[in-house]
Amino acid sequence: AASAPDRRWSTIRLLTGRGPTGPEQSHEPPPSPPAPRAAAAADPDMGSAWGITKVSADKAWAKQKGSKSIVVAVIDTGVDYTHKDLAFNIWRNPHRSVNGINTLGDTISGDVVGWDFVHNDNLPFDDNEHGTHCAGVIGAVGNDGVGISGINQRVSIMAVKFLSGEGSGDTATAVKAIDYAVSRGAKVLSNSWG
């Protein structure tokens, strides 16, 4: 298995065609995935998602499956925004070409799917898998023939990384991450920090 930094650079190379020794990394967004299509085997691993029935999400889906207009920030170790069961539900910053200023006065621009406060860049890729797990519980795409479904089959997941691959971070950076998420329109914050 590749180490966390190797996985991070593999993703950067995949998305930008550049690596650690190449030119400045691009701030172009990862490719937008196609809309999911219902498949014969709706979500083949739903049997392992015990929480779905525990919170009666399967019953709620009869009335509402979620909405892409709801932005949930996963403030954690990042999110694998290329994951096949998450990619469609990853938030896209509608104002990415405009410089944004969070409430602390820090200028952040080029943020497409979120922000990485550990590496101070626009590639909040998960090098621990915890944030990706949380994102999947919240909003893995449902009824697409892949993996499981999150509680919300349709949602916009904003990736905000403030914890390192080892799971460590500090309070000041956590506050910056929260301020960032709120400034970008997140209405729900997932903070699974222990």
Side-chain angles (χ1 to χ4, degrees):
S3 69
D6 290 339
R7 285 194 310 263
R8 178 178 166 76
W9 285 112
S10 295
T11 300
I12 292 170
R13 278 191 292 276
L14 172 74
L15 297 175
T16 68
R18 298 181 172 116
T21 59
E24 289 293 317
Q25 66 192 43
S26 170
H27 291 285
E28 291 298 312
S32 294
R37 295 188 181 134
D43 292 300
D45 298 328
M46 281 300 284
S48 63
W50 63 269
I52 296 296
T53 54
K54 187 170 181 95
V55 299
S56 300
D58 50 340
K59 293 176 183 160
W61 294 335
K63 294 182 181 183
Q64 174 62 264
K65 294 182 189 308
S67 170
K68 294 283 285 175
S69 67
I70 303 300
V71 179
V72 178
V74 176
I75 304 173
D76 208 288
T77 58
V79 173
D80 179 355
Y81 39 81
T82 66
H83 190 287
K84 61 186 176 182
D85 217 4
L86 292 173
F88 179 75
N89 279 348
I90 295 296
W91 170 80
R92 300 280 175 161
N93 184 354
H95 308 291
R96 63 181 167 262
S97 62
V98 178
N99 287 347
I101 299 177
N102 69 18
T103 59
L104 297 177
D106 298 324
T107 301
I108 295 175
S109 63
D111 52 327
V112 177
V113 297
W115 194 256
D116 180 341
F117 286 91
V118 174
H119 302 98
N120 199 33
D121 64 25
N122 67 340
L123 297 169
F125 192 79
D126 190 353
D127 50 5
N128 177 285
E129 299 178 4
H130 184 263
T132 300
H133 173 79
C134 294
V137 170
I138 293 164
V141 176
N143 201 31
D144 64 345
V146 178
I148 64 164
S149 173
I151 298 295
N152 301 285
Q153 294 184 345
R154 299 292 180 269
V155 68
S156 292
I157 299 168
M158 179 190 300
V160 184
K161 179 179 179 70
F162 93 97
L163 295 172
S164 70
E166 292 77 36
S168 62
D170 60 66
T171 304
T173 308
V175 170
K176 286 181 183 180
I178 290 168
D179 285 343
Y180 165 82
V182 171
S183 78
R184 295 308 191 268
K187 299 298 182 195
V188 179
L189 309 179
S190 169
N191 309 305
S192 178
W193 305 339

